[in-house]
Amino acid sequence: MQNEPRAAFTAMENATLDDWRIIAAAHGPYQNNLANRVLAHLRLLEGDHGGFPIDRFQHSLQTATRAMRDGRDEDYVVCALLHDIGDTLASANHPDIAAAILKPYVSEDLHWMVENHGIFQGYYFFEHLGLDKNMREAFRGHPSFTMTAEFCERYDQTAFAPAYDTLPLTAFEPLVQRVFSTIRRSIYMNAAPAKT
Ligand SMILES: [Fe+2]
Ligand SMILES: [Fe+2]
């Protein structure tokens, strides 16, 4: 906003505590709006089917719907919803984007599942592209191997059905808001302007 207070420094090394109080005060509302920014970005997948039977937005919703109907908890369902959000900006490594966005807000095993789902999903199609469908075997024995294999088997590789009764984004918005409301892991999570 135009009239909001601004810090006065031109180089960070000259910033004062008052400057950082202004920045810290602005950060709260910005952080609180993160879920809305994530949801807006997810909608960018709409209309982008890339040759698949349904577009990437519907695939995301269907993956989350299947996970929810299977009784998965909120964090898991949000991971399912966002697992392909990186397709727009990281076509060659899309799982890294979702993993980075979710990392401060979910458990380490859910983060690992999202980060590696691309390799595990390959079990269902890599042979058609001249790749090794068993690439996931490199991770056999990892504590999150089974849950990641299960995510792809039950929800991700099955979520391409045009006739499936997929829930709309509004069904997941409260879950996304809740998951993104609590930071669990971040170098900034204990940050506060110094006392004078
Ligand atoms: Fe994916
Ligand atoms: Fe997917």
Side-chain angles (χ1 to χ4, degrees):
M1 306 262 182
Q2 210 63 348
N3 296 324
E4 284 176 354
R6 303 277 185 92
F9 62 87
T10 55
M12 218 176 231
E13 64 180 352
N14 300 322
T16 65
L17 178 56
D18 281 345
D19 286 330
W20 279 100
R21 285 202 171 112
I22 290 168
I23 294 166
H27 182 71
Y30 187 71
Q31 174 70 30
N32 292 341
N33 206 28
L34 173 61
N36 293 328
R37 292 194 297 277
V38 169
L39 288 165
H41 199 96
L42 184 68
R43 286 191 201 97
L44 296 180
L45 298 177
E46 206 161 10
D48 173 16
H49 65 75
F52 285 89
I54 58 177
D55 72 27
R56 290 185 164 100
F57 182 60
Q58 288 301 316
H59 166 72
S60 301
L61 293 173
Q62 191 173 137
T63 305
T65 302
R66 289 178 182 277
M68 181 183 256
R69 288 185 178 147
D70 208 25
R72 298 292 180 170
D73 67 24
E74 235 169 55
D75 289 3
Y76 192 109
V77 172
V78 169
C79 286
L81 180 71
L82 301 179
H83 76 284
D84 282 340
I85 196 171
D87 269 328
T88 48
L89 291 175
S91 316
N93 63 331
H94 75 275
D96 290 344
I97 301 291
I101 292 169
L102 286 158
K103 187 175 182 178
Y105 306 99
V106 300
S107 63
E108 285 185 33
D109 53 356
L110 279 176
H111 172 255
W112 197 93
M113 179 183 90
V114 172
E115 188 174 40
N116 291 284
H117 84 266
I119 288 172
F120 283 67
Q121 185 83 331
Y123 183 72
Y124 300 96
F125 71 96
F126 275 179
E127 74 271 28
H128 301 303
L129 301 177
L131 297 171
D132 177 12
K133 69 179 287 167
N134 291 307
M135 208 181 281
R136 68 182 192 176
E137 290 305 316
F139 299 108
R140 181 72 68 178
H142 188 280
S144 304
F145 183 98
T146 303
M147 70 179 289
T148 306
E150 202 171 70
F151 169 74
C152 291
E153 180 189 1
R154 292 193 188 177
Y155 315 123
D156 197 1
Q157 67 95 13
T158 57
F160 296 96
Y164 184 78
D165 177 24
T166 299
L167 291 168
L169 186 59
T170 48
F172 302 106
E173 283 176 358
L175 286 68
V176 174
Q177 296 287 353
R178 280 194 289 273
V179 168
F180 281 94
S181 68
T182 307
I183 298 174
R184 299 187 199 181
R185 291 186 283 165
S186 166
I187 60 167
Y188 305 111
M189 64 185 291
N190 296 318
K195 302 262 189 294
T196 46

